[in-house]
Amino acid sequence: MKTERMAVTHLGEHPKDYLNAVVPPVFLNSLHVFDCYEDYKNREETGSFVYGRDGNPTVEILEQKVAALEEGAAGIAFASGMAAASAAILATCRAGSHIICMRDVYQPIKNILRQYLLPNLDMSVSFWDGLDLQKLEGMITEKTSLILLESPATFVFTVTDLCGVAEIAGRHGVKTYLDNTYCTPLYQKPLTMGIDIVMHTMSKYIGGHSDMIGGILVVKDGKLGERIKHTIRELFGGILGPMEAWLAIRGLRTLPLRLEKHQETAMEVASFLENHGRVRKVFYPSLKSHPQAELIAKQQKGNTGLLSFVLKGEPEEAIRVIDRLKVFQIGCSWGGFESLALCPLMEYTKEDLQFLNLDEGCRGLIRIYCGLEGADVLIDDLRQALS
Ligand SMILES: *Cc1c(COP(=O)(O)O)cnc(C)c1O
């Protein structure tokens, strides 16, 4: 706890290097200059900043903070969560690689696989339910390079056994990747459970104010970190901008306080919904009714502001309910100050739902994000929309 509080406040910052300014500046320069050619020649040995696509002082402060929070060897920041995710795939896979992907990971990650990596790089993918470890081990082939995970995943909050997956992957020399955006580094530390690469989109909780797009990878192995930084980020060119890094540093300072509030609010809202006569089922990882409650208690320190529920009756009723909400706005993201609602599965085909092992009733899944307006305000809003 103490090291986490120091990481979000002071770690990585050196006020003496910037005129004793208490907040590190946004280093908007695209390059750094040298006193003499000799210094330029020795730039790598001295670890100097050279050019903005390779590294930036504001970005580096952020990377050190998130790496410390995840207990990793290095953090590498990217222009978006998707840029970070694709960098992780490029760094660990090659043409012809086989990837195992947990079936409820963030949809655009599955789209990279289906629309780009499979047709263009001759890769193959097997989708896994995230639950059956024996099945997972059975899917591993000689070509398997990477296992893509997200836990908890953000529709019905399926959780996967991180230690269990890491143990199997380690025995077969396969790398593991986990999208830890939902828990943030404060509520789950996958690297300490054997996962190789953690991804956060900072567009959600780390930025925290719905005013930036950014992503970051944290790795356990420094060598893999160097490869991601120099071979992938530097050459493909996806570094985070300095202004966004500055916003993420500011977001981090209040992350522990915001998460506490999001969690408290979401739990009150989830309990209200669970006791409401029109609600068939609530999905929130802190509820005792979650089928994996024991595993969640073992590997997570908490949960955050996103949850979902299904109404009794016709799926289309969900649209009427979210249209009646006044405080919750209709929108697809989460992690900011503002509460949001969406029916993310409404457009799904029967096959899409079956793929996720969800029944037809789940088409009307309402996903809500509890912002910082307070539980009383949000419950009043839900009560009037459901009445
Ligand atoms: C939003 C999101 C992403 C993608 O992040 P971007 O910064 O929008 O590219 C990845 N994973 C999860 C779980 C997300 O919610």
Side-chain angles (χ1 to χ4, degrees):
M1 263 324 271
K2 224 150 108 190
T3 43
E4 284 185 350
R5 288 196 305 264
M6 287 307 283
V8 299
T9 50
H10 301 291
L11 188 139
E13 301 179 24
H14 307 283
K16 285 197 174 42
D17 292 348
Y18 11 86
L19 306 173
N20 289 321
V22 71
V23 174
V26 190
F27 280 89
L28 278 174
N29 49 304
S30 63
L31 76 155
H32 297 256
V33 291
F34 294 81
D35 288 340
C36 59
Y37 182 72
E38 192 64 15
D39 285 357
Y40 179 75
K41 207 178 91 187
N42 296 328
R43 64 194 182 277
E44 276 181 25
E45 290 88 274
T46 54
S48 307
F49 289 105
V50 180
Y51 184 59
R53 199 185 70 240
D54 314 337
N56 169 281
T58 313
V59 173
E60 198 176 277
I61 293 168
L62 171 68
E63 290 171 339
Q64 289 176 359
K65 286 177 184 292
V66 181
L69 291 172
E70 285 286 5
E71 301 185 25
I76 310 105
F78 291 85
S80 68
M82 287 304 292
S86 39
I89 298 173
L90 290 173
T92 51
C93 297
R94 51 191 299 169
S97 282
H98 172 243
I99 291 176
I100 299 173
C101 181
M102 198 172 141
R103 72 182 172 201
D104 14 16
V105 302
Y106 187 62
Q107 186 65 40
I109 301 281
K110 288 181 277 194
N111 294 349
I112 302 187
L113 297 171
R114 289 181 177 135
Q115 293 173 25
Y116 186 81
L117 297 171
L118 271 55
N120 294 298
L121 291 177
D122 203 24
M123 291 193 192
S124 56
V125 62
S126 304
F127 288 101
W128 177 53
D129 63 9
L131 304 172
D132 186 337
L133 289 172
Q134 224 171 351
K135 235 189 232 165
L136 172 75
E137 185 154 24
M139 285 178 178
I140 295 176
T141 71
E142 269 181 8
K143 288 191 168 172
T144 309
S145 304
L146 183 65
I147 302 174
L148 290 170
L149 308 164
E150 183 177 330
S151 180
T154 56
F155 287 151
V156 295
F157 301 92
T158 307
V159 169
T160 196
D161 178 347
L162 302 189
C163 291
V165 174
E167 191 273 320
I168 291 170
R171 258 194 290 116
H172 293 271
V174 174
K175 291 269 187 279
T176 47
Y177 159 104
L178 180 100
D179 185 330
N180 198 25
T181 304
Y182 180 83
C183 276
T184 87
L186 298 179
Y187 288 171
Q188 180 166 262
K189 298 195 191 295
L191 301 182
T192 67
M193 292 179 260
I195 298 295
D196 296 299
I197 308 174
V198 165
M199 195 285 281
H200 290 280
T201 162
M202 300 186 289
S203 321
K204 309 288 161 60
Y205 286 118
I206 290 179
H209 295 75
S210 300
D211 54 7
M212 63 163 285
I213 296 284
I216 191 164
L217 297 177
V218 184
V219 293
K220 204 164 46 181
D221 169 13
K223 265 210 203 109
L224 177 60
E226 289 293 301
R227 178 170 157 74
I228 293 171
K229 185 171 177 186
H230 297 298
T231 309
I232 309 297
R233 191 180 70 180
E234 203 172 304
L235 299 181
F236 284 77
I239 193 171
L240 182 73
M243 188 66 218
E244 283 74 14
W246 188 88
L247 286 167
I249 291 168
R250 186 166 73 165
L252 273 180
R253 301 208 198 281
T254 55
L255 184 65
L257 303 171
R258 286 186 285 114
L259 282 192
E260 229 176 274
K261 194 68 194 170
H262 289 302
Q263 169 162 246
E264 183 191 308
T265 303
M267 192 59 193
E268 278 186 53
V269 168
S271 308
F272 164 77
L273 289 169
E274 220 173 27
N275 291 309
H276 196 288
R278 287 194 63 196
V279 174
R280 189 182 112 202
K281 188 163 173 48
V282 182
F283 302 91
Y284 185 58
S286 287
L287 289 174
K288 283 198 192 79
S289 56
H290 192 293
Q292 297 167 288
E294 207 173 303
L295 177 61
I296 291 164
K298 195 182 109 196
Q299 65 188 21
Q300 294 175 213
K301 261 192 255 167
N303 286 291
T304 58
L306 197 67
L307 62 122
S308 58
F309 62 101
V310 183
L311 297 170
K312 293 172 185 164
E314 288 300 301
E316 286 67 29
E317 187 55 28
I319 298 175
R320 289 188 277 279
V321 168
I322 67 166
D323 275 343
R324 275 199 294 266
L325 288 165
K326 295 193 171 80
V327 180
F328 286 93
Q329 303 172 90
I330 294 179
C332 64
S333 188
W334 42 276
F337 62 95
E338 77 287 17
S339 291
L340 297 164
L342 199 65
C343 299
L345 307 180
M346 193 55 76
E347 257 55 26
Y348 272 42
T349 63
K350 211 174 185 171
E351 292 75 44
D352 292 340
L353 288 171
Q354 266 169 2
F355 175 77
L356 293 175
N357 201 28
L358 301 174
D359 62 49
E360 177 60 23
C362 283
R363 177 185 309 287
L365 183 96
I366 299 177
R367 191 177 75 175
I368 55 172
Y369 169 65
C370 301
L372 295 171
E373 296 90 345
D376 50 349
V377 173
L378 299 185
I379 288 172
D380 283 350
D381 196 28
L382 286 163
R383 188 182 288 119
Q384 66 78 22
L386 287 166
S387 71

